[in-house]
C-alpha cells in the first residue's frame, strides 16, 4: 500500500486539491447561491466515486506489478539459461580443443618413441660389429675396457627405448601369465657381463611361481634392480632371488643383495625423481638418480606394490607384491 501511495501521490494530491477547491469555492465564495445540503450531497458522491476509483486503481496497479515481476523473473531466468548455455558451449569447446591438443601431443610422443626405437635397432648392427672387432683385439687390457664400455652402451640404448615407451605405456603393455624364474633369468642375461666380471654369487628359489604381468616391462624393472646391486656392491657380492605365494593368486617376490646398503633416513626419498643419495653425493659413483624413479613408474604401471628394506653396510632388499590380475585380463 505504501508503494502504491508513493507512486500515485501526485494523482491523489490532485484529487484532494480538487475536492478542497470545490468545497471552498462553492461553500464560501459562492455560498449565497448554493445550498449546503446540495454541497454535502455532492461531497458524498465525490468521496464514494474517489473510493471506488481508488480501489479499482489499486487492484489494477497490484496486478500490473505482479505481471511485471513475473516478466522480470522469466527474463532473468532466460538470461541465466542463456548465460549457462553460453558457458557450457564455451567450456565444451575448450575441452574439445584440449583433447585435440592432447591427442596431437600423444601422436608426437608416439612418433618420437617409434623413431628412437628404429634408431636404436639400426645402431645395434654397428654395435655388434664393434663387439666382434673387439674380440680380435690383441691387447687384453684394452679389450676388456672396450668390452665394458660396449656393454654399457648397449644398456643405455635399451634404456632410451624403454624410457621413451614409458611416456605412453598404454600403447605398449601386454599382460600375460609368466614364470618369475624366466623373467629373472632374462634380466640376468642382460646383466651377465657385469655379473660375471664382478664374480657375483647367485641364489634363486622361484620354482613354480608365476605372476600375471607384462614380461618386457618386468624384465626392465629387474634390470634396474640388478644394475643397482652391481653398482653398490661390496667384496664377495651376492644376489638372492626368492618369492612365495600369498592368499589367492597374490605373490611376493624379492631381490636381495649384500651391498653397501642405504641409510634409513634416505629410504622415503629413494624413488623420487633425480634423487641420488649420500653415496653418490660423496662422488663414489656416477648416476642420474632416475633408475629407481623408473622402477616406481613401472611398478605402478604393472599394478605392483614395491617396498624396500635396507641398512647401511647390511645390503638392500626390494619386495614386489603382485596382485591376482586374472579378473582384469583375458588370457589363455
Amino acid at each position: 500500500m505504501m508503494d502504491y501511495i508513493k507512486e500515485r501521490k501526485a494523482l491523489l494530491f490532485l484529487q484532494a486539491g480538487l475536492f478542497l477547491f470545490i468545497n471552498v469555492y462553492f461553500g464560501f465564495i459562492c455560498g449565497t447561491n448554493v445550498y449546503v445540503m446540495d454541497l454535502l450531497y455532492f461531497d458524498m458522491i465525490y468521496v464514494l466515486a474517489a473510493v471506488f476509483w481508488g480501489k479499482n486503481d489499486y487492484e489494477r496497479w497490484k496486478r500490473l506489478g505482479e505481471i511485471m515481476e513475473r516478466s522480470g523473473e522469466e527474463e532473468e531466468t532466460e538470461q541465466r539459461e542463456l548465460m549457462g548455455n553460453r558457458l557450457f558451449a564455451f567450456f565444451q569447446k575448450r575441452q574439445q580443443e584440449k583433447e585435440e591438443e592432447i591427442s596431437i601431443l600423444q601422436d608426437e610422443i608416439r612418433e618420437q618413441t617409434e623413431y628412437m626405437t628404429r634408431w636404436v635397432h639400426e645402431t645395434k648392427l654397428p654395435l655388434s660389429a664393434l663387439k666382434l672387432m673387439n674380440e680380435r683385439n690383441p691387447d687384453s687390457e684394452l679389450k676388456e675396457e672396450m668390452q665394458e664400455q660396449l656393454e654399457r652402451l648397449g644398456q643405455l640404448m635399451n634404456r632410451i627405448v624403454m624410457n621413451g615407451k614409458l611416456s605412453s605405456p598404454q600403447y605398449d603393455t601386454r599382460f600375460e601369465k609368466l614364470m618369475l624364474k624366466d623373467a629373472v633369468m632374462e634380466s640376468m642375461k642382460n646383466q651377465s657381463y657385469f655379473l660375471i666380471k664382478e664374480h657375483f654369487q647367485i641364489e634363486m628359489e622361484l620354482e613354480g611361481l608365476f605372476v600375471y604381468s607384462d614380461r618386457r616391462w618386468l624384465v626392465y624393472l629387474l634390470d634396474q634392480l640388478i644394475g643397482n646391486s652391481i653398482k653398490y656392491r661390496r667384496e664377495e657380492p651376492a644376489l638372492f632371488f626368492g618369492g612365495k605365494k600369498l592368499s589367492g593368486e597374490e605373490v611376493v617376490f624379492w631381490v636381495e643383495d649384500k651391498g653397501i646398503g642405504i641409510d634409513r633416513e634416505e629410504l622415503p626419498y629413494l624413488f623420487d625423481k633425480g634423487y641420488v643419495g649420500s653415496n653418490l653425493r660423496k662422488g663414489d659413483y656416477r648416476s642420474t638418480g632416475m633408475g629407481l624413479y623408473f622402477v616406481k613408474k613401472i611398478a605402478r604401471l604393472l599394478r605392483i606394490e614395491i617396498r624396500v628394506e635396507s641398512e647401511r653396510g647390511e645390503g638392500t632388499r626390494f619386495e614386489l607384491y603382485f596382485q591376482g590380475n586374472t579378473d582384469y585380463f583375458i588370457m589363455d
Side-chain angles (χ1 to χ4, degrees), residues 287-303:
S287 176
T288 60
M290 299 296 290
L292 291 181
Y293 167 71
F294 287 123
V295 165
K296 187 68 174 180
K297 289 191 69 174
I298 296 171
R300 189 180 298 114
L301 172 67
L302 301 181
R303 297 180 177 86

Side-chain angles (χ1 to χ4, degrees), residues 147-158:
Q147 180 68 18
E148 180 174 347
Q149 297 307 316
L150 290 172
E151 291 291 339
R152 292 186 185 278
L153 182 59
Q155 290 184 359
L156 290 173
M157 291 168 59
N158 183 56

Side-chain angles (χ1 to χ4, degrees), residues 231-232 275-289:
K231 184 185 299 183
Y232 303 116
Y275 184 74
V276 295
S278 58
N279 294 324
L280 297 165
R281 288 196 294 269
K282 293 177 182 177
D284 299 332
Y285 306 97
R286 291 176 296 174
S287 176
T288 60

Side-chain angles (χ1 to χ4, degrees), residues 100-212:
E100 292 175 358
E101 292 175 2
I102 292 172
S103 178
I104 292 173
L105 290 175
Q106 288 177 339
D107 291 340
E108 291 178 355
I109 292 174
R110 187 163 56 250
E111 290 176 1
Q112 292 177 0
T113 302
E114 292 174 354
Y115 172 78
M116 291 166 56
T117 303
R118 290 196 300 269
W119 180 85
V120 169
H121 283 302
E122 291 176 1
T123 311
K124 284 183 178 179
L125 183 60
L127 183 62
S128 299
L130 285 173
K131 289 182 179 180
L132 291 174
M133 293 170 62
N134 190 50
E135 291 294 327
R136 299 194 298 269
N137 192 341
D139 189 333
S140 59
E141 184 176 350
L142 178 60
K143 178 181 178 180
E144 182 68 19
E145 292 178 357
M146 286 287 294
Q147 180 68 18
E148 180 174 347
Q149 297 307 316
L150 290 172
E151 291 291 339
R152 292 186 185 278
L153 182 59
Q155 290 184 359
L156 290 173
M157 291 168 59
N158 183 56
R159 181 178 297 179
I160 289 174
V161 174
M162 299 304 291
N163 292 351
K165 290 182 177 180
L166 195 59
S167 301
S168 54
Q170 64 270 26
Y171 301 110
D172 194 43
T173 307
R174 180 179 178 271
F175 281 74
E176 60 182 332
K177 181 180 179 179
L178 57 90
M179 304 301 295
L180 271 174
K181 183 177 180 179
D182 294 342
V184 172
M185 293 299 294
E186 183 175 344
S187 181
M188 287 178 57
K189 182 181 178 181
N190 295 339
Q191 304 285 341
S192 59
Y193 173 81
F194 297 102
L195 291 173
I196 295 172
K197 178 187 176 184
E198 303 301 336
H199 307 289
F200 263 79
Q201 176 187 352
I202 306 295
E203 293 186 13
M204 191 180 308
E205 295 181 3
L206 296 170
E207 292 299 332
L209 278 179
F210 65 88
V211 294
Y212 293 96

Side-chain angles (χ1 to χ4, degrees), residues 250-296:
E250 295 182 357
V251 172
V252 58
F253 163 72
W254 58 83
V255 180
E256 186 174 354
D257 63 40
K258 296 299 180 183
I260 62 177
I262 306 167
D263 290 332
R264 285 183 175 274
E265 58 269 20
E266 296 182 355
L267 293 180
Y269 314 102
L270 199 60
F271 298 102
D272 290 352
K273 187 175 183 179
Y275 184 74
V276 295
S278 58
N279 294 324
L280 297 165
R281 288 196 294 269
K282 293 177 182 177
D284 299 332
Y285 306 97
R286 291 176 296 174
S287 176
T288 60
M290 299 296 290
L292 291 181
Y293 167 71
F294 287 123
V295 165
K296 187 68 174 180

